[in-house]
Amino acid sequence: MKKVLITGFEPFLHYTINPTAQIAEDLHGLRIGHYEICGKVLPVQFSKSWEQCLLHIEEEKPDAVLMLGLAAGRYKITPERVAINCADGEKDNEGMVKQDETIHSEGPAAYFSTLPIRTFVNVLQKRGLPAEISNTAGTYLCNYIMYQAIHYFKQSNQNIPAGFIHVPASHELALEIGNVPSFSQQDLTEAVSLMISNMA
Amino acid sequence: MKKVLITGFEPFLHYTINPTAQIAEDLHGLRIGHYEICGKVLPVQFSKSWEQCLLHIEEEKPDAVLMLGLAAGRYKITPERVAINCADGEKDNEGMVKQDETIHSEGPAAYFSTLPIRTFVNVLQKRGLPAEISNTAGTYLCNYIMYQAIHYFKQSNQNIPAGFIHVPASHELALEIGNVPSFSQQDLTEAVSLMISNMA
Amino acid sequence: MKKVLITGFEPFLHYTINPTAQIAEDLHGLRIGHYEICGKVLPVQFSKSWEQCLLHIEEEKPDAVLMLGLAAGRYKITPERVAINCADGEKDNEGMVKQDETIHSEGPAAYFSTLPIRTFVNVLQKRGLPAEISNTAGTYLCNYIMYQAIHYFKQSNQNIPAGFIHVPASHELALEIGNVPSFSQQDLTEAVSLMISNMA
Amino acid sequence: MKKVLITGFEPFLHYTINPTAQIAEDLHGLRIGHYEICGKVLPVQFSKSWEQCLLHIEEEKPDAVLMLGLAAGRYKITPERVAINCADGEKDNEGMVKQDETIHSEGPAAYFSTLPIRTFVNVLQKRGLPAEISNTAGTYLCNYIMYQAIHYFKQSNQNIPAGFIHVPASHELALEIGNVPSFSQQDLTEAVSLMISNMA
């Protein structure tokens, strides 16, 4: 049986929950399709998120890496097509701000996801969950760890599928934030399960 | 045991489903809180929707009337505060268009909902479902039957609580429409059940 | 020559500008169509906004009253169709919060605008400015003074057209707020001028 | 004096105007800052848009290329950060549809804009026009010609700054489309002028 590493993020800014942390925790230890799931929660810090993700990769030696992040404002499950070599945006959880920074000075401008994102979207829609390929993972932590992960596997010549999926707010989080679309936590977790069950 | 009439609408325009029809059908015959539920589906036609709703009222003699409609684009359960004496908007399902028309020439400019809408919102939020009082039911069929129903009960001196609740698209409908926020059908039906269970 | 009272609001919350104050100031003293313009800026306080508006009405004895307010998030000029007998919403500038309060215990549920709102929309669109009748002025200060003004004229049997127009953020304000659609201040002022020039 | 090629697109789908075509035409022949402007309008066809753009480049030998496109729904001037090696999306004007296609099989996953996009955003904001760097030019014609242009200059070792700017709908187009934010055409043209006047 193969192993998939699923990562979520801890809550960021002043919010108390992050639905992706809960998905990672809820799925941890389960077996879905060809995969045993290892779920982990990452810090929202440029200085630590990738470092910690890499530790999990080295320890768990997963056969695939599926990273999750919240995209407050979106109302579909959105597998990301591409990660770009740029860090920019709001303060992270320890106050670090980046503007127009290159992630790897030697790295290419971008990497495409190596997950089967078109299949993911087709499967989710077929099962009644709104989904769409997204063409930007932004330039914040989500894009950052997606770029780092794919870069790492390319550099080390490992043929490990890796990529990032943005999800809408959960209803619980939407009640905190105030004015964003949301799915039930159950829908979010089911969406991730469905994607895993459709990975080779 | 008291009886509540729940109305949904048939699909409109070129869509094939309307989540409010399914809620009405799914809840029909159930007993929730103090109420036995009579669920009915209304046509999307100015010429028939109220006429048919009235027939149901006369036949069923409900103790409360809770009318449901789709608000594609909204991402919260939104009990309506007020219905206004105006019909306007897009073509209905038989091609009728109204512009700035008075619904009842003798009627007041508006009626407030006689359902406990603040309680509804509090209960839904407490149970983790995004909800908010809406201050406009629009000027289309939804506002039309809400105005008609409250007007009818006032005119006939019946103290029957009546009002309108707009709901987001269901995931299924969102997949048809393309770019609107959505809840699962299950969330929508649960929201309506919760409201009924909190009616006196 | 007739006189029209144009009111804007001072900035609210932590913002430094309100485009409606600037419109009122820019148009003050001008003559457009059949009207000489008296422009005034009102406080964002339930306790004072109507009181002060009424003072202006008593002093200036206008032949028409056109009140302006910001609707951050809207991207059209939106003449309001109706004001409802309800005060609710966020804190005002002196920290007062109202929830589900009746404005006038003896007043009707709502008043329709007595301005030629359909003409306004037609004229604006013809001149290339996106415009639409809005069916809700909300339940905050904007609805409050609209309801108060029309109520006052009805009660005192004065046949003075009065109503409310919501406008989008100006570009300047959008730069402060961050993520809202906007028009140039010039477009906003021109829109109000156009409406005045089309009042009988 | 240097020369800048400004491209807009012809109207697409069933719309009758495209504000970027008008900007290109309005600025054609003017001198702004260090540049004489050559404005051209491109077809909305995968088979011809780049081919024609390339002809203009070969004929005009511009010192910089600034390509413009409409992003209906956006409400800021958005210089694009990156073009990706992917063509996907709706039908173009001759009915061609692409899904997940590579633009250049030998090309890198992406190219960053070689225009001073951070300066553009700063200058626009300073002059009171909402602007923001965008991290996705989509996967339709806009991304396509941006990728093609930068690829071409890299391949041919020409150090010519090139990039893409998405603009909101104009008021005129918004009136056709119905429900999208918009700027006046004058604001759009001024925004492009400002960017040119701040190019080295």
Side-chain angles (χ1 to χ4, degrees), chain B residues 114-150:
Chain B
T114 51
L115 294 172
I117 56 172
R118 180 64 61 184
T119 301
F120 285 171
V121 166
N122 291 342
V123 164
L124 290 165
Q125 291 185 341
K126 207 168 170 183
R127 294 288 283 268
L129 287 168
E132 193 174 46
I133 291 175
S134 161
N135 295 306
T136 178
T139 51
Y140 195 53
L141 265 300
C142 298
N143 174 75
Y144 184 76
I145 65 165
M146 177 176 170
Y147 187 94
Q148 292 277 24
I150 305 177

Side-chain angles (χ1 to χ4, degrees), chain A residues 81-82 84-86 88 99-101 108-112 118 133 135-136 138-139, chain D residues 81-82 84-86 88 99-101 108-112 118 133 135-136 138-139:
Chain A
R81 191 191 292 276
V82 67
I84 64 173
N85 193 357
C86 178
D88 189 277
Q99 189 181 63
D100 301 336
E101 266 185 46
Y111 286 111
F112 284 114
R118 180 63 61 186
I133 291 176
N135 295 306
T136 178
T139 51
Chain D
R81 191 191 292 278
V82 66
I84 65 174
N85 193 357
C86 179
D88 189 276
Q99 189 181 62
D100 302 336
E101 267 186 45
Y111 287 112
F112 285 114
R118 180 63 60 185
I133 290 175
N135 295 306
T136 178
T139 51

Side-chain angles (χ1 to χ4, degrees), chain B residues 50-61:
Chain B
W50 167 241
E51 188 182 281
Q52 212 162 104
C53 186
L54 181 55
L55 277 179
H56 296 312
I57 289 170
E58 289 172 342
E59 252 173 57
E60 302 288 343
K61 304 195 193 326

Side-chain angles (χ1 to χ4, degrees), chain B residues 15-158:
Chain B
Y15 301 116
T16 63
I17 46 176
N18 187 323
T20 63
Q22 197 175 327
I23 297 171
E25 284 160 3
D26 286 354
L27 295 180
H28 181 72
L30 299 188
R31 292 167 172 225
I32 297 178
H34 306 104
Y35 290 90
E36 187 190 342
I37 296 167
C38 173
K40 297 288 183 186
V41 178
L42 303 176
V44 179
Q45 296 175 24
F46 280 108
S47 69
K48 293 196 191 140
S49 62
W50 167 241
E51 188 182 281
Q52 212 162 104
C53 186
L54 181 55
L55 277 179
H56 296 312
I57 289 170
E58 289 172 342
E59 252 173 57
E60 302 288 343
K61 304 195 193 326
D63 303 285
V65 179
L66 203 155
M67 295 169 282
L68 305 173
L70 168 71
R74 290 194 192 167
Y75 44 79
K76 299 183 185 178
I77 305 292
T78 47
E80 295 295 343
R81 191 191 293 279
V82 66
I84 64 174
N85 193 358
C86 178
D88 189 276
E90 303 297 304
K91 281 183 195 172
D92 71 12
N93 275 2
E94 56 178 3
M96 182 179 287
V97 183
K98 295 183 177 269
Q99 189 180 62
D100 302 335
E101 265 185 46
T102 296
I103 297 174
H104 276 287
S105 56
E106 317 281 285
Y111 286 112
F112 284 113
S113 176
T114 51
L115 294 172
I117 56 172
R118 180 64 61 184
T119 301
F120 285 171
V121 166
N122 291 342
V123 164
L124 290 165
Q125 291 185 341
K126 207 168 170 183
R127 294 288 283 268
L129 287 168
E132 193 174 46
I133 291 175
S134 161
N135 295 306
T136 178
T139 51
Y140 195 53
L141 265 300
C142 298
N143 174 75
Y144 184 76
I145 65 165
M146 177 176 170
Y147 187 94
Q148 292 277 24
I150 305 177
H151 183 73
Y152 168 76
F153 290 128
K154 295 276 179 197
Q155 292 298 101
S156 55
N157 282 311
Q158 297 179 68

Side-chain angles (χ1 to χ4, degrees), chain A residues 6-103:
Chain A
I6 304 287
T7 67
F9 277 113
E10 61 179 20
F12 53 97
L13 302 174
H14 51 290
Y15 301 116
T16 64
I17 46 176
N18 186 322
T20 63
Q22 197 176 325
I23 297 171
E25 285 161 2
D26 287 355
L27 295 180
H28 181 71
L30 299 188
R31 290 165 173 226
I32 297 177
H34 306 104
Y35 290 90
E36 186 190 343
I37 296 167
C38 173
K40 297 287 182 186
V41 178
L42 302 176
V44 179
Q45 297 174 24
F46 280 108
S47 68
K48 292 196 192 140
S49 62
W50 168 242
E51 188 182 280
Q52 214 164 101
C53 187
L54 181 56
L55 275 178
H56 296 313
I57 289 170
E58 289 172 341
E59 252 172 56
E60 302 289 342
K61 303 193 193 330
D63 303 286
V65 179
L66 202 155
M67 296 169 282
L68 305 173
L70 168 72
R74 290 194 191 166
Y75 44 79
K76 299 184 186 178
I77 306 291
T78 47
E80 295 294 343
R81 191 191 292 276
V82 67
I84 64 173
N85 193 357
C86 178
D88 189 277
E90 302 297 303
K91 282 182 194 172
D92 70 12
N93 274 2
E94 57 178 4
M96 182 179 285
V97 183
K98 294 181 178 272
Q99 189 181 63
D100 301 336
E101 266 185 46
T102 297
I103 297 175

Side-chain angles (χ1 to χ4, degrees), chain C residues 2-72:
Chain C
K2 294 197 272 187
K3 190 190 280 186
V4 60
L5 175 63
I6 304 287
T7 67
F9 277 113
E10 61 179 19
F12 56 95
L13 303 173
H14 49 293
Y15 300 116
T16 64
I17 46 176
N18 187 323
T20 63
Q22 197 174 326
I23 297 171
E25 285 161 3
D26 287 354
L27 295 181
H28 181 72
L30 299 187
R31 291 166 172 227
I32 297 177
H34 306 104
Y35 290 90
E36 186 190 343
I37 295 166
C38 173
K40 297 287 182 184
V41 178
L42 302 176
V44 179
Q45 296 174 24
F46 279 108
S47 69
K48 292 196 191 140
S49 61
W50 167 241
E51 188 182 281
Q52 214 164 100
C53 187
L54 181 55
L55 276 179
H56 296 313
I57 290 170
E58 290 172 341
E59 251 173 57
E60 302 289 341
K61 304 194 192 328
D63 303 285
V65 178
L66 202 155
M67 295 170 282
L68 306 174
L70 169 71

